[in-house]
């Protein structure tokens, strides 16, 4: 009977090319691209580059390339880079279009109504801003009326001059009522009226809601200074603008320094984990040598032991020795793969002892003790410097907190205190005794504060990293984390609508109390 052939398995764990630097260069390439893109977006929106029409360079570049003259429009009725754009010209560029906000009047219930109404206001973009362009502001009114009988009634809206703008005749208890207006012009004191047509016929309950599309003349993605804010992102009670141009100032530095430094720190951490187990490996190797085993057998035996991050390297050395590679070549290749000065120095010493034929066990013990002492000293340095790093982070948080309080509380208070008064309107400030407080722009100070916090993050983080490890990569990693903290805090707290120049959406402002229209009756 023929013997079954045995299957021979050879583990060819051949040395592979080190891709660490290749990955680092790839990360650096994309980081630089993202950093340059963020920097260009920020600087072209910051207003630092003067333009012929006073608009940010980014707006001119985008709208100048994409805005098209609509069919039938006269020449010049589309965005041009050599003149201040009008409302109509802004509307021809997608990022400068004014999109409506919805303002509502709801939550009221009137009871026992025969003739009742309330005043309300309709805000909107002024005609001086739109020129000859007609801006339609549609209005929707939905109502429900209940009564003791199927009483007829009228719901209407009239202007402050008494002109009837829209009305609807309906019957109580017959479902919903209301109407839709194609547009309602901005004006104060419109009147919403409910009137029962029958004498003594009361409408038991009247409920309604009114919605108006409101335009303010400012591009939706901009603030009232034509600076880029981007679309708003609402998350519950929070409303943030993640693409506000100021964010890209911090993101520029973040992309330049953080991704590559974070990757390199991961590489250094892996090397440190190998170094931590390296003295234990040398000590065990010395013990096996003293027990009479050759280096080849000792390494192959230790390949089954637990050395954490060093396991793969020990296994690789064992495989190489099983192929017949000299021990001195194997440990040199190991030193080249790890690449740290501590390992290379110890391996060079062991390789030289192996070549010279000395008492290698003593060399191994000496190298293990030397490596362990160096790692102990590194740990002592980290523990000693840790308190200083904590102080740097604490000082940064204190600085950040003070800046946010100044931006959120102090600057708006000063801006509000000198925005009115006898001298506040025309003279550009408020006079108190012999002292004049000039009008200030909260957005200007908020911008300066944010730039200052970002620069503080760069300096503090770099110093913290250099003190911790002596590597710039560690410092840039700290700086990147500080920049992220500043971005989050400013976006959640400081970049509020009143500080970044967003006009507050006005309401319909229904009047308190009621009135009985004297000159409005329907038979």
């Amino acid at each position: 009977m023929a013997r079954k052939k045995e299957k021979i398995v050879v583990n060819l764990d051949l040395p592979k090319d080190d891709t660490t630097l290749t990955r680092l260069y790839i990360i650096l390439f994309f980081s630089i691209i993202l950093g340059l893109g963020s920097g260009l977006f920020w600087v072209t929106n910051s207003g630092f580059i003067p333009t012929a029409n006073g608009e940010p360079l980014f707006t001119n570049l985008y709208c100048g390339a994409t805005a098209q003259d609509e069919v039938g429009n006269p020449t010049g009725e589309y965005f041009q880079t050599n003149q201040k754009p009008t409302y109509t010209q802004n509307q021809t560029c997608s990022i400068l279009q004014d999109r409506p906000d919805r303002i509502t009047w709801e939550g009221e219930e009137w009871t026992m109504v025969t003739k009742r109404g309330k005043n309300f206001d309709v805000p909107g973009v002024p005609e001086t801003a739109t020129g000859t362009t007609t801006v339609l502001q549609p209005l929707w009114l939905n109502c429900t009326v209940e009564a003791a009988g199927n009483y007829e009634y009228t719901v209407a809206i009239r202007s402050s001059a008494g002109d009837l703008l829209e009305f609807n005749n309906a019957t109580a208890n017959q479902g919903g009522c209301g109407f839709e207006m194609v547009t309602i012009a901005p004006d104060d004191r419109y009147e919403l009226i409910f009137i029962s047509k029958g004498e003594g016929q009361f409408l038991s309950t009247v409920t309604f809601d009114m919605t108006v599309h409101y335009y303010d003349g400012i591009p939706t993605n901009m603030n009232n200074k034509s600076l880029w804010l981007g679309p708003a992102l609402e998350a519950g009670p929070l409303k943030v603008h993640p693409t506000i141009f100021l964010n890209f100032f911090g993101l520029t530095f973040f992309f330049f320094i953080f991704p590559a430094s974070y990757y390199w720190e991961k590489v250094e951490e892996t090397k440190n984990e190998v170094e931590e187990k390296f003295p234990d490996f040398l000590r065990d190797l010395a013990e096996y040598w003293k027990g009479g085993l050759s280096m080849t057998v000792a390494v192959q035996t230790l390949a089954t032991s637990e050395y954490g991050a060093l396991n793969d390297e020990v296994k690789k050395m064992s495989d190489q020795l099983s192929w017949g590679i000299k021990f001195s070549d194997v440990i040199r290749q190991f030193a080249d793969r790890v690449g740290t000065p501590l390992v290379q120095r110890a391996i060079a010493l062991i390789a030289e002892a192996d070549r010279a034929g000395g008492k290698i066990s003593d060399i191994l013990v000496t190298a293990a003790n030397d490596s362990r002492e160096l790692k102990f000293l590194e740990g002592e340095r980290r523990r000693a410097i840790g308190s200083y790093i904590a102080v740097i982070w604490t000082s940064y948080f204190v600085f950040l907190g003070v800046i946010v309080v100044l931006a959120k509380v102090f600057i708006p208070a000063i801006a509000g205190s000198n925005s009115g008064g006898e001298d506040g309107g025309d003279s550009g400030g408020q006079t108190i005794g012999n002292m004049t407080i000039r009008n200030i722009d909260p957005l200007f100070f908020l911008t300066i504060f944010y730039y200052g916090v970002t620069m503080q993050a760069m300096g503090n983080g770099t110093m913290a990293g250099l003190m911790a490890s002596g590597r710039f990569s560690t410092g840039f990693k700290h700086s990147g984390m500080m920049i992220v903290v500043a971005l989050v805090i400013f976006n959640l707290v400081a970049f509020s609508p009143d500080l970044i120049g967003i006009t507050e959406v006005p309401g319909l402002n229904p009047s308190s109390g009621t009135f009985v229209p004297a000159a409005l009756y329907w038979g």
Side-chain angles (χ1 to χ4, degrees), residues 202-446:
F202 290 91
L203 306 178
S204 302
T205 58
V206 175
T207 58
F208 62 89
D209 63 83
M210 181 187 297
T211 301
V212 177
H213 277 184
Y214 157 69
Y215 290 83
D216 59 3
I218 300 173
T220 300
N221 293 320
M222 304 288 182
N223 64 6
N224 51 25
K225 292 184 177 294
S226 297
L227 297 175
W228 176 267
L229 300 180
L233 176 63
E234 297 186 22
L238 294 176
K239 186 177 181 180
V240 297
H241 293 262
T243 58
I244 182 174
F245 78 99
L246 286 174
N247 281 344
F248 288 89
F249 178 78
L251 289 175
T252 298
F253 293 97
F254 176 83
F255 286 130
F256 276 142
I257 66 174
F258 185 78
S261 62
Y262 180 82
Y263 169 75
W264 194 250
E265 283 302 296
K266 285 295 183 182
V267 172
E268 293 294 333
E269 287 177 10
T270 301
K271 291 181 179 180
N272 184 65
E273 291 173 358
V274 172
E275 288 183 344
E276 290 287 347
K277 293 295 183 179
F278 183 62
D280 296 336
F281 171 70
L282 293 181
R283 180 200 60 202
D284 294 343
L285 197 60
E287 292 297 327
Y288 276 98
W289 176 265
K290 290 179 181 178
L293 297 178
S294 66
M295 280 297 178
T296 299
V297 177
V299 172
Q300 290 175 336
T301 304
L302 292 175
T304 59
S305 301
E306 178 59 41
Y307 292 107
L310 198 58
N311 282 343
D312 291 340
E313 295 297 337
V314 177
K315 181 66 168 55
K316 190 172 294 185
M317 285 191 290
S318 173
D319 292 339
Q320 290 174 328
L321 289 170
S322 67
W323 305 332
I325 301 176
K326 291 175 57 178
F327 175 75
S328 58
D329 294 335
V330 169
I331 58 175
R332 283 197 181 98
Q333 291 178 13
F334 162 72
D336 292 338
R337 288 195 301 271
V338 177
T340 63
L342 183 147
V343 172
Q344 287 180 334
R345 182 174 64 176
I347 292 300
L349 183 64
I350 295 169
E352 188 63 26
D354 180 66
R355 186 186 65 82
K359 194 174 182 181
I360 195 170
S361 59
D362 292 341
I363 301 298
L364 289 171
V365 172
T366 301
N369 292 336
D370 180 63
S371 300
R372 184 175 288 107
E373 185 67 23
L374 287 175
K375 298 306 295 182
F376 175 78
L377 292 176
E378 288 180 7
E380 284 292 305
R381 175 186 176 179
R382 285 194 297 270
R383 287 186 287 272
I385 295 299
S387 59
Y388 294 99
I389 297 175
V391 169
I392 290 176
W393 271 93
T394 302
S395 65
Y396 176 73
F397 277 114
V398 171
F399 177 73
L400 179 60
V402 170
I403 288 298
V404 170
V405 169
L406 285 175
K408 189 66 178 175
V409 179
F410 185 68
I411 296 302
I414 294 180
S417 68
N418 59 22
S419 60
E422 296 180 359
D423 298 320
D426 298 331
S427 63
Q430 186 175 22
T431 301
I432 304 177
N434 294 326
M435 180 179 65
T436 299
I437 302 177
R438 297 296 180 187
N439 285 336
I440 63 174
D441 177 15
L443 179 59
F444 171 78
F445 284 92
L446 180 66

Side-chain angles (χ1 to χ4, degrees), residues 40-51:
L40 287 173
F41 187 82
W42 164 73
V43 75
T44 54
N45 280 282
S46 63
F48 291 154
I49 303 176
T51 58

Side-chain angles (χ1 to χ4, degrees), residues 108-118 144-149 151-156 172 192-208 514-517:
E108 289 205 31
E109 181 178 303
W110 298 351
T111 59
M112 303 306 292
V113 175
T114 56
K115 299 174 183 178
R116 186 170 178 179
K118 272 193 175 184
T144 302
V145 176
E146 297 179 356
Y151 303 150
E152 294 183 349
Y153 66 91
T154 297
V155 54
L192 173 63
I193 306 164
F194 283 86
I195 297 178
S196 177
K197 289 188 175 184
E199 187 69 28
Q201 294 180 349
F202 290 91
L203 306 178
S204 302
T205 58
V206 175
T207 58
F208 62 89
T514 62
F515 74 98
V516 177

